[in-house]
Amino acid sequence: MATGDEMIKVVGDRYCVPYTMELVVKKKIQSFSNSHYDVFDTTGNILLRVDGSVWDLQRRRVMTDPAGFAIVTLREKQPIPWKGEWQIHEGESSNSNHFLFRVRRSSGFHFKSNLDVYVGSRCKKGAGDFRVTGSIASLSIKVRRGNSIIAEVSHNYTWKSYKGKESFKVKVYPEVDYAFIVALLVIMHENENV
């Protein structure tokens, strides 16, 4: 569970709600060149979208609200999958003034792609501010802050997964930034599908 009543906002406090948020994330390859994620609440309302090119060597994904306004941009810093680092900025900026957080693989060669998350400009070796454990292949991911689980993801693996259509169930605990959690899910999925 999340840590006490403390709000965990990374992308923005408007993505933090006082109750457990259940989300459905649907990913599909729209064409030979684009991947697309739609994020819905349990009533089917679209909350977020994430788009990006499949063939872009410098992988870039833009998260937007339902009206199409950019919330954050996720960019892979190094195109080498086992050393992958992603940097996340507000809107479509790459300016250091709009930098929010970075995500790095915990280590190079593991069956589980654990990720360390560093908020702000802080980025030292060792433990990050958050840790993502598990893998898409194991059908389960957990996002932790210290020893507390702040979100859980399960992969709904079906025959459609082979056709480029995948679905995830996401449980985000109260007062945790769900846009931040969706960004981590996208990065984990992109890292595992290189």
Side-chain angles (χ1 to χ4, degrees), residues 121-190:
S121 59
R122 183 184 99 65
C123 189
K124 62 180 184 179
K125 291 225 179 217
D129 298 300
F130 300 91
R131 183 137 209 202
V132 184
T133 59
S135 70
I136 301 296
S138 71
L139 308 180
S140 175
I141 299 169
K142 291 184 179 11
V143 181
R144 301 173 188 273
R145 181 179 191 188
N147 292 326
S148 299
I149 296 173
I150 62 168
E152 299 177 68
V153 178
S154 61
H155 184 241
N156 296 336
Y157 191 77
T158 66
W159 181 250
K160 289 181 180 182
S161 300
Y162 285 113
K163 297 178 180 179
K165 296 179 181 179
E166 298 182 74
S167 178
F168 305 91
K169 287 186 180 178
V170 181
K171 180 189 272 187
V172 182
Y173 290 107
E175 303 296 346
V176 175
D177 184 334
Y178 68 84
F180 170 61
I181 300 302
V182 169
L184 295 177
L185 166 62
V186 169
I187 291 169
M188 176 70 87
H189 191 265
E190 296 294 320

Side-chain angles (χ1 to χ4, degrees), residues 6 12 58 69-70 94 105 108 120 135 143 147:
E6 180 185 351
Q58 294 187 342
F69 294 106
S94 60
R105 284 188 188 250
S135 70
V143 181
N147 292 326

Side-chain angles (χ1 to χ4, degrees), residues 1-193:
M1 292 257 182
T3 56
D5 294 329
E6 180 185 351
M7 184 183 292
I8 299 174
K9 64 177 180 173
V10 178
V11 174
D13 57 2
R14 69 179 178 253
Y15 305 107
C16 300
V17 295
Y19 51 87
T20 299
M21 186 83 163
E22 301 276 341
L23 304 171
V24 174
V25 178
K26 294 184 178 182
K27 187 241 181 193
K28 63 182 173 181
I29 303 294
Q30 286 190 312
S31 65
F32 287 114
S33 60
N34 288 324
S35 67
H36 180 80
Y37 297 81
D38 283 321
V39 181
F40 301 92
D41 64 14
T42 55
T43 61
N45 295 316
I46 186 125
L47 301 174
L48 302 168
R49 289 192 163 112
V50 182
D51 285 301
S53 173
V54 173
W55 304 110
D56 189 4
L57 288 177
Q58 294 187 342
R59 292 190 293 171
R60 177 180 175 264
R61 305 288 180 260
V62 178
M63 180 185 294
T64 61
D65 66 11
F69 294 106
I71 299 167
V72 294
T73 300
L74 298 71
R75 289 180 182 85
E76 188 174 34
K77 187 176 175 188
Q78 296 179 354
I80 304 169
W82 57 89
K83 288 188 167 187
E85 176 181 309
W86 290 76
Q87 294 185 349
I88 294 71
H89 292 81
E90 291 178 87
E92 291 190 72
S93 175
S94 60
N95 187 317
S96 62
N97 293 336
H98 298 128
F99 180 77
L100 294 174
F101 64 98
R102 83 179 71 239
V103 179
R104 286 184 174 170
R105 284 188 188 250
S106 299
S107 61
F109 297 100
H110 281 282
F111 292 109
K112 290 188 175 184
S113 302
N114 296 331
L115 303 174
D116 290 321
V117 182
Y118 303 88
V119 176
S121 59
R122 183 184 99 65
C123 189
K124 62 180 184 179
K125 291 225 179 217
D129 298 300
F130 300 91
R131 183 137 209 202
V132 184
T133 59
S135 70
I136 301 296
S138 71
L139 308 180
S140 175
I141 299 169
K142 291 184 179 11
V143 181
R144 301 173 188 273
R145 181 179 191 188
N147 292 326
S148 299
I149 296 173
I150 62 168
E152 299 177 68
V153 178
S154 61
H155 184 241
N156 296 336
Y157 191 77
T158 66
W159 181 250
K160 289 181 180 182
S161 300
Y162 285 113
K163 297 178 180 179
K165 296 179 181 179
E166 298 182 74
S167 178
F168 305 91
K169 287 186 180 178
V170 181
K171 180 189 272 187
V172 182
Y173 290 107
E175 303 296 346
V176 175
D177 184 334
Y178 68 84
F180 170 61
I181 300 302
V182 169
L184 295 177
L185 166 62
V186 169
I187 291 169
M188 176 70 87
H189 191 265
E190 296 294 320
N191 278 350
E192 290 193 9
N193 289 297

